[in-house]
Amino acid sequence: MDDPDVRPLFPRPLRPRELVALDVLAAVGYAFVLVVESPDARRPAALALIAAMTLPLAVRRRWPLPVFCVVAVASVAAMTLGVVREPLAAAAYALYPVALGTRRRRWEPTAAIGALTVGALLLAAFGGVAAGPEVRRVVETVVLGSLALGGAWTIGRAVRERRAYAARQAEQAAEHAVTEERLRIAREMHDVVSHTLSLIGVKAGVAAHVADRRPEEALEALRVIEATSRQALTEMRHMLGVLRTAPGAVPGTLSPAPGLAALPDIAERAAAAGVRVDLDVRVADGLPPALELAVHRIVQEAVTNVVRHAAPAACRVLVHDEGGQVRIEVTDDGPGRRVLPAGPPRHGAGHGVGHGVIGMRERVAAYGGAFTAGPLSGGGFRVLALLPREGEGT
């Protein structure tokens, strides 16, 4: 956990120009320090070496490897000629962007730098202690220089790996979000198509049955089919509009997702198919939109199953806000054994479930709720879902 009392050095990430300005300041400042401390600073050759090992640091982010090579050669030459006593600090400063920007290869100099550092430490431990002052000074310079170069390279590689890991995590999160969105749209498409085609199939059967004897009733069934199909096409167009929208864009022509206010429409369409729906909705205002959509889709799928497998029947839909959760209960008095389409046993068969029940169960599971569905002892079928108000959602 981050300490609230510890504040970052910079309140925001620095821009590229600001980073270059810091490098320029570091290069000029370090050059000034070396000129002041060098005993040979008045000699043109000494000034040239100091300038070669410091001033290129101003452009180390632009040309990392050439700058490091120039600074490293100039630093070694300056130390060999006794111009400065600098333990490769400038070279280490130039090595960091090289380590940060170099891609991982089969051969990495990390092991070589580590071996050089260990060798320098052993040299200091066994050879430099008993040696004379000049040799001891050389050993100290080699040890400190090795530590500086090794530390700069290690830090640069660690930062690169951390950034690569963060980029991979962000990419995986984006892929997961895309997958979740596709699954959500697939569920929405299933709910819309299943509900609409069930109602259209029932009304088409009614129209075909009474077309000769009661043409006015057949005409009314065709009107219901027309209205239902138009509404389904509108909903599907809205959902497909999400797929056609560029990533990050907000589709401005999409209507709000259906919620509790659209439950009477479900009841009205079911009544047109021969299922009388008694709505009992007692929910306080303020439900999250995603939770309202889940409630709407669960009720829609449950009533659709009644229309598909139990019509004509009476259906009771109860949606109650019970404080910490929303209770959804859909019961009907249809026949205990229902005629199902070919395929695996589905809703009402007394065993097995169809895609509609699976979809409802998945929606409830996404919120960490409870779901049951099955035939009643006295006939009919019941779907019961409990959705926590503080559920995770999708």
Side-chain angles (χ1 to χ4, degrees):
M1 182 181 296
D2 295 335
D3 189 349
D5 296 331
V6 177
R7 297 182 179 180
L9 181 60
F10 300 102
R12 58 170 177 79
L14 297 179
R15 300 185 180 93
R17 292 183 178 179
E18 295 172 339
L19 292 174
V20 172
L22 285 178
D23 287 341
V24 171
L25 182 62
V28 174
Y30 196 47
F32 176 77
V33 171
L34 293 181
V35 168
V36 171
E37 292 184 351
S38 174
D40 301 328
R42 295 182 180 181
R43 291 166 44 189
L47 290 176
L49 284 176
I50 293 175
M53 62 183 292
T54 57
L55 297 184
L57 297 176
V59 291
R60 66 179 187 135
R61 301 177 192 273
R62 183 72 179 273
W63 299 289
L65 187 58
V67 168
F68 169 71
C69 293
V70 171
V71 171
V73 171
S75 298
V76 173
M79 287 189 297
T80 303
L81 298 175
V83 175
V84 294
R85 296 180 179 180
E86 190 261 359
L88 298 179
Y93 189 68
L95 182 61
Y96 173 79
V98 176
L100 187 63
T102 304
R103 295 182 179 180
R104 177 175 288 277
R105 299 175 181 175
R106 184 171 300 178
W107 182 87
E108 282 275 323
T110 305
I113 293 177
L116 179 62
T117 304
V118 172
L121 292 175
L122 292 176
L123 178 63
F126 297 102
V129 175
E134 289 298 325
V135 176
R136 209 166 29 240
R137 183 178 64 81
V138 173
V139 170
E140 291 175 356
T141 302
V142 172
V143 171
L144 293 177
S146 300
L147 291 176
L149 292 176
W153 179 266
T154 303
I155 294 173
R157 300 309 284 179
V159 172
R160 178 178 175 81
E161 291 299 323
R162 187 189 66 181
R163 292 179 180 177
Y165 175 77
R168 289 194 299 268
Q169 290 293 102
E171 183 178 356
Q172 292 174 1
E175 292 177 355
H176 180 72
V178 170
T179 302
E180 289 294 324
E181 182 65 12
R182 288 177 178 174
L183 291 176
R184 185 189 68 81
I185 292 176
R187 287 196 297 265
E188 297 294 323
M189 293 285 287
H190 168 268
D191 292 343
V192 171
V193 173
S194 174
H195 173 76
T196 304
L197 292 183
S198 298
L199 182 56
I200 289 176
V202 171
K203 297 306 292 184
V206 171
H209 184 69
V210 302
D212 296 334
R213 293 173 296 173
R214 296 192 295 275
E216 67 282 353
E217 188 172 342
L219 183 61
E220 178 62 26
L222 292 176
R223 290 195 183 99
V224 173
I225 291 174
E226 179 186 12
T228 303
S229 60
R230 287 181 182 277
Q231 182 176 5
L233 287 174
T234 301
E235 288 193 45
M236 293 178 65
R237 190 179 299 112
H238 289 164
M239 285 184 287
L240 293 176
V242 176
L243 296 178
R244 296 191 183 101
T245 304
V250 178
T253 59
L254 301 185
S255 60
L260 300 181
L263 294 182
D265 295 337
I266 297 177
E268 183 178 350
R269 291 194 296 269
V275 175
R276 302 184 308 277
V277 178
D278 178 21
L279 275 177
D280 183 7
V281 180
R282 304 177 188 176
V283 178
D285 295 335
L287 282 185
L291 184 57
E292 281 204 33
L293 175 62
V295 172
H296 177 275
R297 292 308 188 196
I298 291 172
V299 172
Q300 182 185 55
E301 184 60 40
V303 173
T304 297
N305 284 350
V306 177
V307 171
R308 182 187 297 126
H309 304 305
C315 176
R316 185 169 185 268
V317 177
L318 181 149
V319 180
H320 282 187
D321 187 353
E322 298 182 348
Q325 63 184 6
V326 178
R327 179 186 183 91
I328 307 163
E329 186 173 359
V330 180
T331 56
D332 66 80
D333 60 359
R337 182 174 181 81
R338 302 172 186 178
V339 179
L340 301 178
R346 297 179 59 144
H347 172 95
H351 60 286
V353 293
H355 292 292
V357 175
I358 293 176
M360 289 187 284
R361 192 185 305 277
E362 288 179 350
R363 287 187 183 276
V364 175
Y367 282 84
F371 177 83
T372 57
L376 298 173
S377 57
F381 201 86
R382 183 182 77 158
V383 171
L384 175 63
L386 301 176
L387 297 180
R389 290 179 63 99
E390 302 299 329
E392 176 182 342
T394 55

